[in-house]
Amino acid sequence: QGRLVESGGGLVQTGGSLRLSCAASGFTFSSYAMAWFRQAPGKEREFVAAIGWRGTSSYYLDSVKGRFTISRDNAKNTVYLQMNSLKPDDTAVYYCAAGWDATSRSSREYTLWGQGTQVTVSS
């Protein structure tokens, strides 16, 4: 049974950086596209970034382009989200997810989810 476990969240000041990690187990990680979503209080879950199974293609929410970088290490069964120049609007619970299509920005297309990690950016 597949499992995803996120880590690396925390409290950071505006302009700071965090690196989120998502460790996968119980499925063939290298065969799946991976994505990060986030959900702020009172808002719907939104797509942040995705990466193809080989790690050669990536996609981003417009508001995080140039600030966030998604990457993966198939040897370690781990996907990362490097977040730089953080803003208060980035405050949310961040979730990683596994799916088949890295071009999809719909949460319905991702079948396995982690429990989330809280990111709080103070102004």
Side-chain angles (χ1 to χ4, degrees):
Q1 185 171 353
R3 187 179 183 211
L4 298 172
V5 179
E6 301 96 335
S7 61
L11 174 64
V12 65
Q13 292 185 333
T14 295
S17 298
L18 284 174
R19 188 194 196 202
L20 305 184
S21 299
C22 173
S25 61
F27 66 102
T28 307
F29 176 78
S30 58
S31 295
Y32 282 76
M34 298 298 297
W36 289 93
F37 286 75
R38 67 186 180 187
Q39 188 165 19
K43 295 187 177 181
E44 293 187 355
R45 190 169 298 190
E46 70 172 350
F47 170 86
V48 175
I51 188 167
W53 62 274
R54 288 188 295 183
T56 56
S57 56
S58 57
Y59 309 87
Y60 295 92
L61 177 70
D62 283 349
S63 63
V64 308
K65 281 181 182 177
R67 300 189 298 123
F68 291 10
T69 303
I70 189 171
S71 62
R72 67 189 296 161
D73 186 338
N74 286 344
K76 295 182 178 180
N77 287 353
T78 303
V79 61
Y80 305 97
L81 186 68
Q82 177 67 44
M83 304 186 295
N84 299 328
S85 302
L86 282 161
K87 306 174 181 180
D89 283 351
D90 295 319
T91 295
V93 177
Y94 283 70
Y95 300 88
C96 70
W100 292 112
D101 183 3
T103 65
S104 174
R105 298 176 180 234
S106 170
S107 60
R108 294 189 297 268
E109 298 297 320
Y110 292 86
T111 56
L112 182 64
W113 291 82
Q115 83 290 348
T117 186
Q118 176 71 48
V119 171
T120 303
V121 184
S122 63
S123 57

